Amino acid sequence: MISNDYMIFAGGSNLPLANKIAAILGKELGTLELKRFSDGEIWVKYGENIRGQDVFLIQSTNPPAENLMELLIMVDAARRASSRSITAVIPYFGYARQDRKDQPRVAISAKLIANLLTTAGTDRVITMDLHAAQIQGFFDIPFDHLYGSSVFREHLDIDRENLVVVSPDVGGIKIARAYAKLLDCGLVVIDKRRPKQNLAEVVHIIGEVENKDVLLVDDLIDTAGTFVGAIDALKSEGANRIYGAATHAVLSGEAINRIARAKIDILFVSDTINFNGTSSGKIKVISASEIFAEAINRTFNNESISSLFNIDKR
């Protein structure tokens, strides 16, 4: 007999989030053995029968590359174990910044990742706030794109009377517009140039921020150089209090120290990436577990996911 239910498993990239998702759904994570050979080779085995089951595999693909490799091997093992369907729940979709050939002789890594996931046997992908929304088109399987603004909207305990939402670059306008509509406030855009990876220069600010409170929003913060540069530019233009909201807290290199020194009141981030650090109390982590749990439940029951978001779809 085939159980009329589903099973949830998690790789090692973000077990705290996976456990929260499972708890909300009234489940326990399935048994999964993840081992390494002495040379680092990854070995995966499902510790229980998944034949004929709908399985959801929770794994972010942030660096190191082992997180992605773990997910691919988990998918392959599930397929060979005769699971009925395999849904990859990827809270943070890594390599999304490489979504186009913007200079000669470079890879389109986001497309490569899509091909790898599909070839391994993934039937559906659920993720949140892709760096470039058009990556959905790289997949030939069902793809559900969740919105980080829905995670933060109930927790943005800031005064909205004198607030404007700021996009740190032109590419983030759609995300910023969604927040502006959600908060019923104005929209400002920072025009910047990026001479090389992880380095950006603010050219000018399009819109009025003088004597305004600012909510600076982005899909991710990596080294925080661009983010802190935007904060400095906004302060120089007369902004009052500055808040931040970023779905994915990559926070590599000197990011934590930069944020600690920055003239920002509070930075809201989600837990799509496992984050244990602190930054002088400036970083507030809000869990995305509820929205992922609801998405899993609706996927299994063939219910609408888009109806979760009463915002401007970007």
Side-chain angles (χ1 to χ4, degrees):
M1 295 180 64
I2 297 177
S3 172
N4 185 28
D5 204 353
Y6 57 91
M7 304 177 74
I8 303 174
F9 297 89
S13 69
N14 198 340
L15 282 172
L17 175 60
N19 279 309
K20 290 177 185 177
I21 293 171
I24 291 170
L25 292 168
K27 292 180 171 293
E28 294 184 357
L29 292 178
T31 303
L32 182 72
E33 295 183 60
L34 282 168
K35 297 181 180 179
R36 298 288 194 278
F37 289 96
S38 61
D39 64 351
E41 184 177 321
I42 301 169
W43 181 88
V44 171
K45 179 183 178 181
Y46 289 90
E48 48 196 299
N49 181 27
I50 61 173
R51 181 181 294 272
Q53 296 283 349
D54 295 299
V55 298
F56 292 83
L57 310 179
I58 302 173
Q59 176 82 333
S60 286
T61 56
N62 52 294
E66 280 79 0
N67 288 327
L68 172 62
M69 196 64 193
E70 264 187 22
L71 176 58
L72 293 172
I73 297 174
M74 289 164 61
V75 170
D76 184 73
R79 179 174 61 85
R80 297 179 188 277
S82 301
S83 61
R84 179 164 56 187
S85 70
I86 302 168
T87 299
V89 181
I90 309 175
Y92 170 65
F93 188 96
Y95 296 90
R97 285 174 282 186
Q98 302 177 55
D99 64 310
R100 63 195 183 280
K101 192 172 181 181
D102 58 351
Q103 54 185 292
R105 299 176 297 281
V106 298
I108 305 178
S109 300
K111 173 59 175 171
L112 172 63
I113 302 307
N115 290 344
L116 289 171
L117 286 167
T118 304
T119 301
T122 307
D123 294 301
R124 176 184 291 270
V125 171
I126 300 174
T127 191
M128 176 175 284
D129 273 356
L130 287 166
H131 188 65
Q134 65 266 22
I135 289 173
Q136 297 172 76
F138 290 170
F139 288 84
D140 293 322
I141 56 176
F143 193 105
D144 293 307
H145 189 203
L146 310 182
Y147 299 97
S149 53
S150 62
V151 175
F152 298 121
R153 61 183 170 188
E154 301 299 328
H155 301 276
L156 292 174
D157 47 351
I158 57 180
D159 185 6
R160 304 179 185 183
E161 287 296 320
N162 192 40
L163 184 69
V164 293
V165 173
V166 176
S167 171
D169 54 34
V170 175
I173 288 178
K174 288 187 178 180
I175 292 177
R177 185 185 296 122
Y179 277 92
K181 182 176 180 180
L182 186 70
L183 300 172
D184 191 25
C185 61
L187 176 64
V188 173
V189 180
I190 294 178
D191 180 22
K192 70 181 183 183
R193 302 290 184 267
R194 188 180 295 277
K196 62 181 181 179
Q197 289 88 347
N198 296 122
L199 179 63
E201 300 173 352
V202 174
V203 178
H204 62 276
I205 297 173
I206 306 170
E208 183 61 49
V209 298
E210 187 175 4
N211 297 321
K212 296 281 188 179
D213 294 333
V214 167
L215 176 63
L216 183 62
V217 300
D218 211 346
D219 62 305
L220 65 88
I221 298 177
D222 188 355
T223 64
T226 300
F227 193 79
V228 172
I231 292 171
D232 292 340
L234 291 166
K235 275 295 184 182
S236 68
E237 291 294 320
N240 290 333
R241 290 172 293 184
I242 298 180
Y243 308 94
T247 307
H248 309 299
V250 179
L251 300 180
S252 64
E254 288 295 310
I256 298 293
N257 292 331
R258 288 189 178 115
I259 292 170
R261 296 191 298 265
K263 297 176 181 178
I264 185 173
D265 289 63
I266 188 167
L267 170 62
F268 299 92
V269 300
S270 79
D271 57 353
T272 56
I273 297 174
N274 192 15
F275 172 69
N276 296 315
T278 60
S279 180
S280 305
K282 289 185 177 181
I283 298 179
K284 181 176 181 180
V285 181
I286 298 172
S287 182
S289 54
E290 289 188 8
I291 189 169
F292 276 106
E294 184 64 24
I296 289 172
N297 187 60
R298 292 189 180 206
T299 296
F300 177 72
N301 291 309
N302 294 314
E303 297 174 355
S304 170
I305 289 181
S306 63
S307 61
L308 280 171
F309 310 105
N310 185 26
I311 61 173
D312 181 28
K313 305 297 188 298
R314 38 188 197 278

